[in-house]
C-alpha cells in the first residue's frame, strides 16, 4: 500500500540554537550490516534507522543472515547483532526487492552470485530509472550469466553457480564507485587474486575508502594501487569487537548550512575526522566565509555569515551539490560546482532537478551536462514570499536542500517530503529542536 504523500512547511526563522548529535552515517551503516553478515558473527553500535538501511536489513535476512535489532526508547536503532552466513549465502527467496537504495542494489549483486540458483533483483521508484551498466559489465567479466532490463535497469536476472572468477576486472570509473565497493566486499572470498582496474578518474572515491575502513574492521586486507585495487584470495571475515557507526557528514551538512543562513549558535556532536568525503563541507563553508569551530568531535557554528560564491570540485562529494547550490543562491558572486556529471545517476538527475526549481524562484543557475558543472550566476531575490515546490522527484537531498530556503522566506511548502526518511528520518525533528519553524503534515 502506497504511503500518503506528506508536505513540509517551513517559515521564516529568526534563530537556530542548541546542541544536536549527528545522525549515524548511512554509508557506514550499510557497509557494517553487509560486511558483518559476511562473517559468522558481528555487532554494530549506533546504526542508522532509515528507509534505505531497513531495506539492507531485510535483503540480508533473505540471503540468510540472522539480524537482531535493539531499539532505544524513541524507537531509533541502538544496536544490531548479526549471525552471518560466513560468505556462503543461502537465499530463502528467488526474488529480492532492494527498494530505492542504489547502494544496496550494487552491493547485493556480486553476493547473490555466491549462492546457487536463478535470482531476480528488483527495486522501486527512482531506482527503476537508474542504469547499472558498470555492475553488469563487471560481473560478466567474472563469469556471471546476468541480464538486465532495457538500459541496464532493474529488474536484473542472475543465474548463479556459487562461484565468481577473480583475475583482472575493469570498472568504468565515471558512473559510480559503488561497483568497486561491491567487488571489494566479495573478492576476498574468491579462490584467485582479484585486480580491480579503475584508472585515476574514479568518482566518489571516499565511499570506497569507507568500504575499505569497514573491511579493515572485519580483518580484510585491500591493497590500493595507482590504477585500482588488489584483493588477495581466501580471506576470512573476522570482525574485531563491535563496529561503532560515526555521525553522518552528508546529513549534518544541511544543519551546518542552515546555521550559516540565519542567526545561530549550533553545535553538532559525534562528527569525527573519519573517511567520509562529505566532511569537506567544513572546508567549503569556511572558503565561502563561514567560521566553524571544531572541538574534539563536535562542530560549532555561530551565524549568520555573508557568504561568497566560490568554485568547488565535487567529484568526490556529489551528495553536497544540492545544499551547495542552495547556499550559492544566498552568496555574493558566482558559485561554480564542477566535476559532477555522475549526478545524473542519483535518485533524480541532480544536475537539473534542483537548478530547475531554483530558476523558477528567480535565481539563474546554468547547467553544463557535458562538462558536469552547475553555476549559480544570479542568487535568489532578497525578499522571498510564499512558494510551493510541487515535486522534488522523490529525492531526499533535494527536498532537504530546498527546505533551507524556508528559513529566509515567508513560507516554503514542499510536497512529497516523505522521501527525506530515506536517509535522515529525524531531519524535521532536529531542525524544530533548534528552533526552526518547520512541520510535516
Amino acid at each position: 500500500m502506497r504511503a500518503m504523500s506528506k508536505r513540509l512547511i517551513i517559515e521564516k526563522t529568526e534563530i537556530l540554537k542548541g546542541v544536536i548529535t549527528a545522525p549515524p552515517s548511512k554509508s557506514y551503516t550499510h557497509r557494517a550490516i553487509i560486511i558483518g553478515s559476511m562473517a559468522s558473527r558481528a555487532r554494530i553500535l549506533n546504526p542508522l534507522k532509515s528507509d534505505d538501511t531497513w531495506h539492507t536489513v531485510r535483503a540480508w535476512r533473505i540471503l540468510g543472515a540472522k539480524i537482531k535489532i535493539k531499539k532505544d526508547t524513541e524507537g531509533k536503532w541502538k544496536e544490531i547483532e548479526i549471525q552471518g552466513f560466513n560468505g556462503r549465502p543461502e537465499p530463502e527467496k528467488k526474488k529480492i526487492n532492494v527498494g530505492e537504495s542504489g547502494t544496496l542494489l550494487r552491493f547485493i549483486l556480486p553476493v547473490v552470485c555466491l549462492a546457487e540458483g536463478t535470482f531476480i533483483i528488483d527495486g522501486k521508484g527512482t531506482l527503476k530509472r537508474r542504469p547499472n551498466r558498470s555492475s553488469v559489465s563487471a560481473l560478466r567479466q567474472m563469469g556471471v550469466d546476468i541480464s538486465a532490463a532495457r538500459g541496464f535497469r532493474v529488474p536484473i536476472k542472475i543465474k548463479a553457480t556459487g562461484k565468481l572468477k577473480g583475475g583482472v576486472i575493469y570498472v568504468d570509473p565515471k558512473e559510480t564507485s559503488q561497483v568497486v565497493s561491491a567487488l571489494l566486499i566479495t573478492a576476498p572470498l574468491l579462490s584467485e587474486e582479484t585486480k580491480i582496474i579503475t584508472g585515476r578518474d574514479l568518482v566518489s572515491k571516499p565511499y570506497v575508502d569507507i568500504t575499505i575502513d569497514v573491511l579493515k574492521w572485519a580483518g580484510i586486507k585491500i591493497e590500493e594501487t595507482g590504477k585500482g585495487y588488489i584483493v588477495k584470495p581466501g580471506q576470512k571475515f573476522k570482525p574485531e569487537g563491535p563496529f561503532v557507526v560515526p555521525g553522518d557528514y552528508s546529513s549534518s551538512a544541511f544543519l551546518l548550512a542552515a546555521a550559516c543562513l540565519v542567526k545561530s549558535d549550533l553545535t553538532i556532536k559525534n562528527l569525527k575526522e573519519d573517511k567520509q568525503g562529505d566532511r569537506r563541507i567544513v572546508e567549503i563553508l569556511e572558503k565561502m566565509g563561514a567560521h566553524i569551530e571544531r572541538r574534539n568531535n563536535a562542530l560549532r557554528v555561530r551565524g549568520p555569515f555573508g557568504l561568497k560564491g566560490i568554485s568547488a570540485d565535487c567529484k568526490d562529494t556529489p551528495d553536497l551539490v544540492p545544499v551547495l547550490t542552495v547556499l550559492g543562491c544566498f552568496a555574493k558572486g558566482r558559485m561554480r560546482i564542477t566535476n559532477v556529471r555522475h549526478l545524473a545517476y542519483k535518485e533524480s538527475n541532480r544536475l537539473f532537478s534542483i537548478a530547475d526549481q531554483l530558476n523558477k524562484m528567480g535565481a539563474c543557475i546554468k547547467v553544463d551536462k557535458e562538462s558536469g558543472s552547475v553555476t549559480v550566476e544570479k542568487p535568489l531575490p532578497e525578499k522571498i514570499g510564499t512558494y510551493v515546490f510541487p515535486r522534488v522527484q522523490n529525492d531526499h537531498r533535494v527536498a532537504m536542500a530546498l527546505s533551507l530556503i524556508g528559513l529566509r522566506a515567508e513560507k516554503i511548502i514542499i510536497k512529497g517530503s516523505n522521501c527525506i526518511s530515506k536517509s535522515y528520518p529525524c531531519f524535521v525533528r532536529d531542525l524544530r529542536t533548534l528552533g526552526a519553524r518547520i512541520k510535516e503534515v
Side-chain angles (χ1 to χ4, degrees):
M1 186 176 179
R2 192 171 181 177
M4 185 179 295
S5 180
K6 294 182 179 179
R7 291 181 303 145
L8 196 61
I9 301 173
I10 314 99
E11 297 179 276
K12 189 172 184 178
T13 297
E14 297 299 326
I15 186 170
L16 296 174
K17 188 175 183 179
V19 179
I20 289 286
T21 299
S25 165
K26 181 163 79 89
S27 296
Y28 269 103
T29 300
H30 272 308
R31 288 158 175 78
I33 294 169
I34 290 167
I35 291 169
S37 295
M38 303 293 276
S40 58
R41 291 189 178 277
R43 186 165 164 248
I44 304 166
L45 304 179
N46 193 43
L48 174 71
K49 177 186 178 182
S50 71
D51 291 351
D52 273 6
T53 55
W54 173 240
H55 276 290
T56 296
V57 168
R58 289 178 60 188
W60 252 254
R61 281 174 173 168
I62 291 172
L63 292 181
K66 295 179 180 178
I67 302 175
K68 182 180 179 182
I69 298 172
K70 296 181 180 180
K71 302 179 182 179
D72 62 17
T73 55
E74 296 180 345
K76 292 190 289 187
W77 293 354
K78 181 180 179 181
E79 181 180 338
I80 296 177
E81 292 181 353
I82 300 173
Q83 184 177 330
F85 45 70
N86 262 324
R88 304 303 303 177
E90 296 181 0
E92 61 183 37
K93 295 180 181 179
K94 297 297 185 183
K95 186 171 182 178
I96 304 173
N97 193 303
V98 298
E100 294 191 70
S101 175
T103 301
L104 175 55
L105 172 63
R106 277 76 180 243
F107 282 27
I108 202 171
L109 292 175
V111 177
V112 164
C113 296
L114 299 176
E116 294 184 18
T118 300
F119 301 94
I120 303 294
I121 311 300
D122 207 351
K124 66 178 185 179
T126 58
L127 194 63
K128 289 279 192 181
R129 303 192 297 267
R130 298 169 74 174
N132 301 283
R133 183 188 300 271
S134 294
S135 293
V136 172
S137 172
L139 291 175
R140 283 177 177 167
Q141 292 175 65
M142 300 177 84
V144 178
D145 185 343
I146 181 172
S147 58
R150 186 177 180 181
F152 294 92
R153 293 174 171 83
V154 293
I156 294 173
K157 183 178 181 179
I158 293 175
K159 294 181 179 179
T161 63
K163 295 181 180 179
L164 279 171
K165 291 194 308 180
V168 179
I169 313 297
Y170 293 91
V171 177
D172 181 358
K174 296 180 180 180
E175 183 179 304
T176 174
S177 67
Q178 292 170 351
V179 179
V180 177
S181 286
L183 298 181
L184 290 176
I185 291 169
T186 311
L189 299 168
L190 306 188
S191 58
E192 60 181 313
E193 182 179 88
T194 304
K195 293 182 179 179
I196 303 168
I197 308 299
T198 63
R200 300 181 184 277
D201 294 324
L202 181 63
V203 298
S204 304
K205 184 182 177 295
Y207 290 96
V208 178
D209 297 336
I210 292 173
T211 302
I212 294 172
D213 198 24
V214 183
L215 284 169
K216 184 178 179 181
W217 159 71
I220 301 298
K221 295 180 180 180
I222 306 293
E223 179 185 346
E224 184 174 353
T225 70
K227 296 181 179 180
Y229 303 87
I230 298 175
V231 187
K232 298 295 184 183
Q235 299 188 58
K236 301 291 185 182
F237 286 78
K238 294 182 179 180
E240 291 255 348
F243 186 86
V244 182
V245 177
D248 195 318
Y249 278 90
S250 305
S251 294
S252 297
F254 297 101
L255 302 182
L256 293 171
C260 291
L261 292 176
V262 299
K263 185 178 180 181
S264 63
D265 188 351
L266 165 67
T267 297
I268 307 178
K269 300 189 298 182
N270 195 31
L271 287 176
K272 302 177 181 178
E273 295 194 61
D274 52 29
K275 300 294 184 180
Q276 294 180 71
D278 285 348
R279 62 191 171 93
R280 189 164 166 256
I281 185 63
V282 177
E283 172 195 335
I284 293 172
L285 289 176
E286 289 181 333
K287 285 183 177 179
M288 293 183 73
H291 178 64
I292 300 175
E293 305 169 41
R294 178 181 284 278
R295 182 172 296 178
N296 299 322
N297 293 322
L299 296 177
R300 187 179 184 184
V301 185
R302 287 179 277 188
F305 303 103
L307 300 177
K308 61 181 180 181
I310 63 169
S311 181
D313 185 334
C314 287
K315 173 186 171 185
D316 288 335
T317 56
D319 286 346
L320 295 181
V321 174
V323 70
L324 292 179
T325 304
V326 168
L327 284 176
C329 288
F330 290 98
K332 185 177 181 180
R334 190 173 72 164
M335 180 80 179
R336 182 172 168 80
I337 302 168
T338 60
N339 279 329
V340 289
R341 285 184 66 183
H342 48 308
L343 280 180
Y345 309 118
K346 294 292 185 176
E347 283 80 349
S348 66
N349 183 341
R350 287 185 187 155
L351 280 172
F352 291 96
S353 55
I354 195 159
D356 289 348
Q357 302 274 20
L358 292 168
N359 284 341
K360 291 174 184 177
M361 292 188 70
C364 179
I365 301 173
K366 295 182 179 179
V367 176
D368 185 335
K369 65 180 181 180
E370 295 304 319
S371 67
S373 67
V374 178
T375 305
V376 182
E377 298 279 1
K378 186 180 79 172
L380 287 168
E382 276 198 34
K383 292 185 178 180
I384 306 171
T386 298
Y387 193 86
V388 178
F389 293 107
R391 58 196 296 268
V392 289
Q393 299 184 21
N394 211 30
D395 191 321
H396 53 128
R397 299 198 193 281
V398 170
M400 288 188 281
L402 292 175
S403 72
L404 301 184
I405 300 171
L407 301 174
R408 298 260 296 252
E410 184 178 315
K411 182 188 291 186
I412 294 293
I413 299 171
I414 299 172
K415 294 184 178 180
S417 59
N418 312 52
C419 58
I420 291 173
S421 62
K422 179 178 171 69
S423 63
Y424 193 175
C426 294
F427 174 70
V428 175
R429 188 203 67 178
D430 286 352
L431 270 179
R432 190 186 299 123
T433 298
L434 295 171
R437 298 175 64 195
I438 182 171
K439 62 182 179 180
E440 195 170 43
V441 295

